[in-house]
Amino acid sequence: MSRKYRVGILGATGMVGQRFIQLLVDHPQFEVTAVAASDRSQGKTYGEACSWRLSGEIPANVRAMPVQPPTPPLDCDLVFSSLPGEMARETEGAFAAAGYPVISNSSAFRMDEDVPLLIPEVNHEHLGLLETQKAKYSRGGFIVTNPNCSTIMIALALAPLHAAFGVAATIATTLQALSGAGYPGVASLDILDNVLPFIGGEEEKIESETTKILGRLNASRIELAPMAIGAQCHRVNVSDGHMAAVRMNLTRKAALDDVREALTSFSSLPQELGLHSAPATPIVVRDEPDRPQPKLDRDAGNGMTITAGRLKPDSVFDYRFVVLSHNTIRGAAGAAILNAELLIALGHL
Ligand SMILES: NC(=O)c1ccc[n+]([C@@H]2O[C@H](COP(=O)([O-])OP(=O)(O)OC[C@H]3O[C@@H](n4cnc5c(N)ncnc54)[C@H](OP(=O)(O)O)[C@@H]3O)[C@@H](O)[C@H]2O)c1
């Protein structure tokens, strides 16, 4: 390609925003040209405004950038958004209306009927919904979202099983890392020596988003996957890496080896297209009895591979397994960047 796409990052100073900036250093297709955050940060340079919480230094070109308000116009071709859900609806809508493609992490538009809730390996055909957005955003803007950070690993793990055998019912019990709560996030005295059995809105997001992601595009709408799903979410004292214990009933009987094979052999369009952020193997299955673990497995595939383990028959459901993914990479910034790479490859950008 002749030039890189210039990207703006909304919510650039937060946990996900920082991950965007780190992952976009030396990206072959994107360069960061604008950063935006709250009025607490506006007017400062990024280096002054940001409590950088990732390893390594803030990239020099971004360190000196002025933090701007998250309102159009910004000097960029598209925006990645990691704004808080409450304000994302108005702001992201304003960017789309002004003609910008919005590649969002926020929950604001995920369940809108005309908005793709995209995992490129699972439901790239849902991008057909972009046709219906053309009537709403006459200046060429559109909105594509990625799932909640726990939903993504659950839906990605269930996708090949649903395709091969049908998933009739599933329950997921999550153990979610601290970085999932943003910065500064959960107070240390609340989480030290503790587990919090409540993450606002999270259980509902997993339950609703999963059936949309695994649903089918029929004309201009998504038919939700006919699947019973229940989730329980917990915040645990881990820095990065969300885990979920999953149990499921299959529609068609399947042997354990076939379930394992469906997971390990899973590969899809991003791998075929060789997208820059696509992991060679989307799902790794480990057979050691004590894996996956956040500390050991969250960086698999540069944080874009999810790791499953403890796969076995269940005494109540058909099968169970544990799945882990890096919540700010596959669960957030890396997911959005992969979405944008797919949009380029398919001619939407
Ligand atoms: N953390 C994860 O693992 C994860 C995963 C998936 C999705 N998400 C979603 O991604 C979004 C960001 O999460 P995060 O963890 O990065 O949160 P965070 O660390 O709290 O960062 C929030 C960002 O939004 C900015 N912001 C807050 N209020 C604003 C306002 N009124 N106007 C403009 N900017 C404002 C903040 O700017 P200041 O620094 O100036 O306050 C900061 O840049 C959320 O919607 C979250 O649900 C997070």
Side-chain angles (χ1 to χ4, degrees):
M1 61 175 287
S2 53
R3 69 170 182 91
K4 291 188 182 185
Y5 290 79
R6 298 168 315 131
V7 306
I9 300 176
L10 313 181
T13 48
M15 288 312 303
V16 178
Q18 294 180 29
R19 210 39 106 173
F20 271 123
I21 283 162
Q22 186 188 57
L23 294 175
L24 291 171
V25 172
D26 297 330
H27 192 286
Q29 292 163 300
F30 303 113
E31 61 175 326
V32 178
T33 53
V35 288
S38 78
D39 53 10
R40 183 191 71 76
S41 305
Q42 292 162 25
K44 299 177 184 169
T45 64
Y46 186 81
E48 289 165 348
C50 180
S51 297
W52 185 255
R53 285 293 172 268
L54 300 181
S55 57
E57 298 296 324
I58 301 175
N61 63 323
V62 176
R63 176 184 287 277
M65 277 180 195
V67 178
Q68 302 182 61
T71 45
L74 281 182
D75 181 28
C76 57
D77 304 316
L78 63 114
V79 294
F80 287 117
S81 170
S82 51
L83 289 170
E86 319 84 66
M87 62 157 310
R89 192 151 186 105
E90 189 181 336
T91 305
E92 293 177 2
F95 273 94
Y100 293 81
V102 177
I103 321 295
S104 174
N105 261 289
S106 301
S107 56
F109 284 95
R110 285 184 197 144
M111 295 305 293
D112 276 32
E113 284 211 332
D114 58 357
V115 173
L117 178 52
L118 185 65
I119 304 177
E121 284 92 342
V122 175
N123 61 354
H124 44 85
E125 70 283 357
H126 288 198
L127 286 174
L129 291 177
L130 292 181
E131 271 307 304
T132 63
Q133 288 193 37
K134 283 183 180 161
K136 192 191 289 181
Y137 301 120
S138 58
R139 298 175 65 188
F142 59 82
I143 299 174
V144 171
T145 59
N146 59 260
N148 163 275
C149 43
S150 287
T151 306
I152 197 161
M153 64 183 174
I154 295 166
L156 181 51
L158 290 179
L161 306 180
H162 191 54
F165 319 111
V167 175
T170 187
I171 59 169
T173 306
T174 70
L175 304 136
Q176 300 185 211
L178 291 169
S179 60
Y183 185 80
V186 184
S188 57
L189 283 180
D190 289 346
I191 196 67
L192 196 67
D193 188 29
N194 211 4
V195 170
L196 301 174
F198 173 70
I199 304 175
E202 202 80 354
E203 294 170 351
E204 295 79 3
K205 285 176 190 164
I206 293 171
E207 292 171 4
S208 59
E209 291 178 16
T210 303
T211 57
K212 178 173 177 181
I213 294 162
L214 298 178
R216 268 201 214 123
L217 179 67
N218 186 353
S220 58
R221 55 183 295 275
I222 306 293
E223 281 175 10
L224 303 182
M227 177 186 295
I229 174 164
Q232 286 183 288
C233 298
H234 307 82
R235 184 76 66 198
V236 297
N237 199 353
V238 164
S239 58
D240 289 313
H242 287 358
M243 198 180 244
V246 178
R247 295 170 181 217
M248 78 218 148
N249 277 338
L250 301 176
T251 311
R252 291 181 288 286
K253 288 275 167 249
L256 178 62
D257 282 351
D258 296 335
V259 172
R260 191 183 188 287
E261 172 65 17
L263 291 168
T264 55
S265 64
F266 182 63
S267 183
S268 184
L269 187 61
Q271 287 68 38
E272 263 170 51
L273 293 171
L275 300 182
H276 179 74
S277 303
T281 310
I283 305 170
V284 160
V285 178
R286 301 204 66 113
D287 294 318
E288 301 93 321
D290 60 352
R291 302 287 279 273
Q293 296 179 21
K295 206 152 68 164
L296 302 180
D297 297 307
R298 62 192 166 209
D299 293 325
N302 295 322
M304 291 296 283
T305 291
I306 66 168
T307 304
R310 307 289 303 145
L311 174 63
K312 53 196 276 197
D314 186 65
S315 46
V316 177
F317 285 71
D318 290 337
Y319 289 103
R320 67 191 192 206
F321 61 86
V322 173
V323 64
L324 173 99
S325 94
H326 197 303
N327 55 294
T328 64
I329 303 180
R330 180 52 106 156
I337 293 169
L338 186 61
N339 284 354
E341 292 167 3
L342 183 69
L343 288 165
I344 293 174
L346 298 184
H348 294 288
L349 281 178

